[in-house]
């Protein structure tokens, strides 16, 4: 193995998210976790490699034998990275996903402590191993948080035990800046026990984001494991169209029970969406488009589409309607595309910039008509209006893609390159690294 130039000690919290570069200086991925093998509670875990997220958000295994340097906040690798999807094997552990937040015991006095971070170092044989653990003692007296200290791995016991209710605060912190789709992928990759713990630790809004990006089967499975009151809260935090899709996959009695537990104003738009078949414009639309009255100004329109929570497609245009402004609205007058908003003086009324030259969609139109309509007029969003001229909602291109792509596209994406991924041996042709 090439000589590794690295700091003597690296804490994994500082390693997670760092870029991976090849020897030509091109970035080839980002570090998401550290894979170790654990034989006994007292023996130091040996680092087998790193989990790197590469192009296409696939997680692959990078053996430590391919790591030539860890320095300056980056990892340098040699040779080609095996692009087969990483699959954890028996006897292996992920430091970040599985060992942080674990409750263990100090050998000296039996005190329970919680793992905050772990450090890896190279030994005299040039192998990487876990050497130090940063832990927090229980809070005492008026302290809100217990004292922290760094101890040797050998000073602790309890890592090998199956903890029934492990916390997830440290792992959640590493998820903070992830996009919903990437977070969903990370949650999907956890083992079932750890996934349940992470789901319990996520706040309702973040969990709603995750559910919207997961396959229907996993959505139903996660929702079923939540207390029914929390399940209703999470459904409230989801976009109404996504909540309706999820409830549509549940037995009628269970869906109705959850709707009854939701706040009436949150349940109402979901109920309206449930009356439409999911392959029609009504079933595809969101009931919460950006709606403005005709006397609103361009400046107000720009302020509304500037809200970070709106997706690019959702913010591509505003819908001008007579009051009431919540769907179903008063009479629909037309749309104003964001490019038109950018061209007009801020004080201009949106009614002066309305585009009403395209007949809007009707809720009962089938998916084929919707896709043809959006393709014909080069739209990323389109209004859905009832026979009386009231705006019911809007369809965005991502809603259409969800239904045009194969029904199992999310599963196929999450399980991409699973074939042949039963091992993640050294790229150089070595055998079972977990041996």
């Amino acid at each position: 193995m090439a000589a590794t130039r690295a700091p003597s000690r690296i804490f994994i919290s500082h390693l997670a998210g760092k870029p991976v570069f090849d020897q030509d200086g091109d970035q080839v991925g980002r570090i998401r976790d550290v894979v170790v093998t654990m034989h006994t509670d007292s023996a130091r875990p040996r680092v087998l490699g790193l989990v790197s997220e590469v192009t296409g958000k696939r997680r692959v295994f990078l053996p430590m034998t391919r790591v030539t340097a860890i320095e300056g906040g980056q990892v340098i690798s040699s040779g080609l990275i095996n692009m087969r999807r990483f699959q954890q094997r028996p006897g292996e552990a992920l430091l970040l996903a599985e060992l942080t937040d674990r409750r263990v015991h100090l050998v000296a006095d039996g005190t329970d402590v919680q793992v905050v971070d772990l450090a890896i170092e190279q030994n005299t044989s040039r192998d990487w191993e876990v050497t130090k653990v940063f832990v927090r003692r229980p809070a005492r007296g008026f302290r809100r948080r217990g004292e922290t200290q760094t101890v040797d791995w050998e000073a602790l016991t309890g890592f090998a035990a199956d903890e029934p209710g492990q916390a997830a605060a440290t792992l959640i912190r590493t998820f903070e800046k992830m996009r919903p789709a990437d977070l969903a992928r990370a949650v999907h990759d956890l083992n079932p026990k750890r996934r349940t713990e992470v789901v319990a630790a996520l706040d309702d809004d973040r969990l709603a984001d995750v559910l919207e990006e997961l396959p229907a089967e996993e959505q139903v499975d996660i929702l079923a494991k939540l207390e029914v009151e929390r399940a209703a809260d999470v459904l409230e935090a989801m976009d109404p169209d996504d909540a309706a899709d999820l409830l549509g996959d549940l037995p009628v009695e269970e869906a109705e029970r959850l709707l009854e537990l939701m706040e009436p104003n949150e349940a109402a738009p979901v109920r309206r969406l449930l009356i439409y078949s999911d392959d029609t414009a009504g079933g595809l639309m969101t009931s919460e488009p950006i709606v403005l009255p005709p006397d609103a100004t361009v400046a107000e329109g720009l302020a509304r589409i500037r809200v970070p929570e709106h997706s690019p497609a959702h913010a591509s245009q505003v819908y001008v309607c007579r009051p009431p402004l919540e769907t179903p609205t008063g009479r629909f007058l037309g749309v104003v595309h964001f490019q038109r908003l950018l061209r007009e003086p801020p004080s201009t009324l949106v009614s002066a910039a309305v585009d009403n030259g395209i007949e809007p969609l009707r809720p009962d139109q089938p998916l084929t008509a919707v896709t043809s309509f959006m393709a014909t007029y080069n739209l990323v969003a389109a209004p859905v209006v009832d026979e009386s001229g009231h705006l019911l909602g809007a369809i965005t291109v991502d809603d259409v893609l969800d239904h045009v792509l194969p029904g199992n596209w999310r599963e196929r994406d999450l399980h991409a390159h699973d074939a042949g991924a039963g091992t993640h041996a050294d790229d150089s042709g070595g055998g079972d690294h977990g041996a």
Side-chain angles (χ1 to χ4, degrees):
M1 182 182 77
T4 304
R5 307 179 308 281
S8 59
R9 182 179 302 162
I10 302 170
F11 279 93
I12 61 167
S13 63
H14 300 155
L15 189 59
K18 294 298 186 290
V20 180
F21 294 89
D22 61 21
Q23 290 186 315
D24 294 328
D26 296 323
Q27 184 174 338
V28 293
R30 286 191 178 275
I31 300 304
R32 292 306 181 196
D33 219 318
V34 179
V35 187
V36 300
T37 181
M38 297 180 63
H39 295 296
T40 66
D41 215 15
S42 58
R44 291 179 173 180
R46 180 166 62 90
V47 179
L48 304 175
L50 308 172
V51 178
S52 176
E53 189 174 82
V54 296
T55 303
K57 305 301 182 183
R58 187 186 311 124
R59 296 194 172 198
V60 302
F61 180 72
L62 174 60
M64 292 306 289
T65 54
R66 293 291 186 185
V67 175
T68 58
I70 305 177
E71 58 185 16
Q74 61 190 34
V75 176
I76 309 297
S77 67
S78 66
L80 297 175
I81 295 179
N82 189 327
M83 297 300 287
R84 289 179 300 183
R85 184 177 179 273
F86 168 73
Q87 187 172 8
Q88 190 175 350
R89 295 157 57 188
E92 296 176 351
L94 298 173
L95 293 186
L96 183 60
E98 298 176 5
L99 297 193
T100 57
D101 297 308
R102 181 179 285 271
R103 290 190 299 270
V104 292
H105 321 290
L106 290 171
V107 174
D109 57 11
T111 301
D112 284 350
V113 293
Q114 188 173 42
V115 176
V116 179
D117 208 345
L118 301 104
I120 61 175
E121 300 180 53
Q122 278 188 306
N123 57 27
T124 55
S125 300
R126 309 296 290 172
D127 290 326
W128 288 86
E129 59 186 11
V130 180
T131 58
K132 301 287 184 178
V133 186
F134 185 56
V135 299
R136 176 175 286 114
R137 290 174 175 269
R140 294 182 179 179
F142 295 102
R143 293 178 179 271
R144 292 187 177 182
R145 305 181 73 180
E147 296 179 351
T148 57
Q149 66 181 117
T150 300
V151 300
D152 293 333
W153 172 271
E154 295 82 2
L156 299 166
T157 186
F159 280 103
D162 185 15
E163 185 176 351
Q166 185 176 345
T170 301
L171 186 55
I172 293 297
R173 282 196 295 273
T174 69
F175 292 160
E176 287 178 353
K177 296 182 179 180
M178 281 188 176
R179 293 176 180 270
D182 297 335
L183 176 55
R185 193 183 309 275
V187 170
H188 167 84
D189 286 341
L190 296 171
N191 65 54
K193 172 181 175 294
R194 198 65 175 128
R195 185 184 305 130
T196 299
E197 293 161 349
V198 168
V199 164
L202 288 170
D203 63 49
D204 292 346
D205 289 337
R206 201 67 165 132
L207 180 54
D209 289 341
V210 169
L211 287 178
E212 290 173 0
E213 299 296 335
L214 287 173
E217 183 178 339
E218 290 190 38
Q219 289 181 354
V220 171
D221 181 64
I222 288 175
L223 199 72
K225 293 177 181 176
L226 301 178
E227 293 183 359
V228 66
E229 290 81 5
R230 192 190 178 201
D233 291 341
V234 172
L235 286 166
E236 290 177 359
M238 296 176 70
D239 289 338
D241 53 327
D242 290 306
D245 288 343
L246 176 49
L247 288 170
D249 290 325
L250 299 177
V252 175
E253 299 79 6
E254 186 177 344
E256 183 58 35
R257 183 187 180 195
L258 289 169
L259 284 165
E260 289 292 337
L261 288 172
M262 294 171 65
E263 292 293 329
N265 62 320
E266 298 286 352
V270 178
R271 289 185 183 277
R272 288 198 298 271
L273 292 172
L274 283 169
I275 68 175
Y276 302 109
S277 172
D278 62 2
D279 59 353
T280 63
L284 292 169
M285 69 184 180
T286 175
S287 58
E288 296 181 343
I290 303 173
V291 181
L292 291 174
D295 58 352
T297 64
V298 164
E300 292 176 79
L302 289 171
R304 291 287 301 277
I305 68 173
R306 199 176 289 129
V307 175
E309 286 73 22
H310 294 320
S311 70
H314 191 54
S316 66
Q317 58 193 30
V318 298
Y319 302 84
V320 182
C321 305
R322 299 287 184 191
L325 300 182
E326 292 189 359
T327 57
T329 67
R331 187 163 66 90
F332 171 69
L333 301 178
V335 302
V336 184
H337 304 282
F338 82 95
Q339 288 179 323
R340 181 69 184 270
L341 291 173
L342 292 172
R343 290 196 297 264
E344 295 290 339
S347 59
T348 302
L349 298 182
V350 292
S351 56
V354 162
D355 178 359
N356 55 13
I358 301 176
E359 186 72 19
L361 292 164
R362 298 287 185 235
D364 58 351
Q365 287 185 268
L367 175 61
T368 52
V370 173
T371 55
S372 297
F373 177 87
M374 298 185 75
T376 299
Y377 297 109
N378 297 316
L379 299 175
V380 294
V384 181
V385 176
D386 66 16
E387 293 181 354
S388 300
H390 304 134
L391 181 70
L392 301 176
I395 297 174
T396 57
V397 66
D398 52 319
D399 297 321
V400 175
L401 286 174
D402 278 346
H403 289 75
V404 171
L405 289 169
N408 64 340
W409 76 269
R410 291 188 188 276
E411 292 95 328
R412 289 169 60 182
D413 185 43
L414 288 169
H415 294 286
H417 293 264
D418 270 358
T423 63
H424 37 266
D426 186 337
D427 294 333
S428 62
D432 183 352
H433 69 245

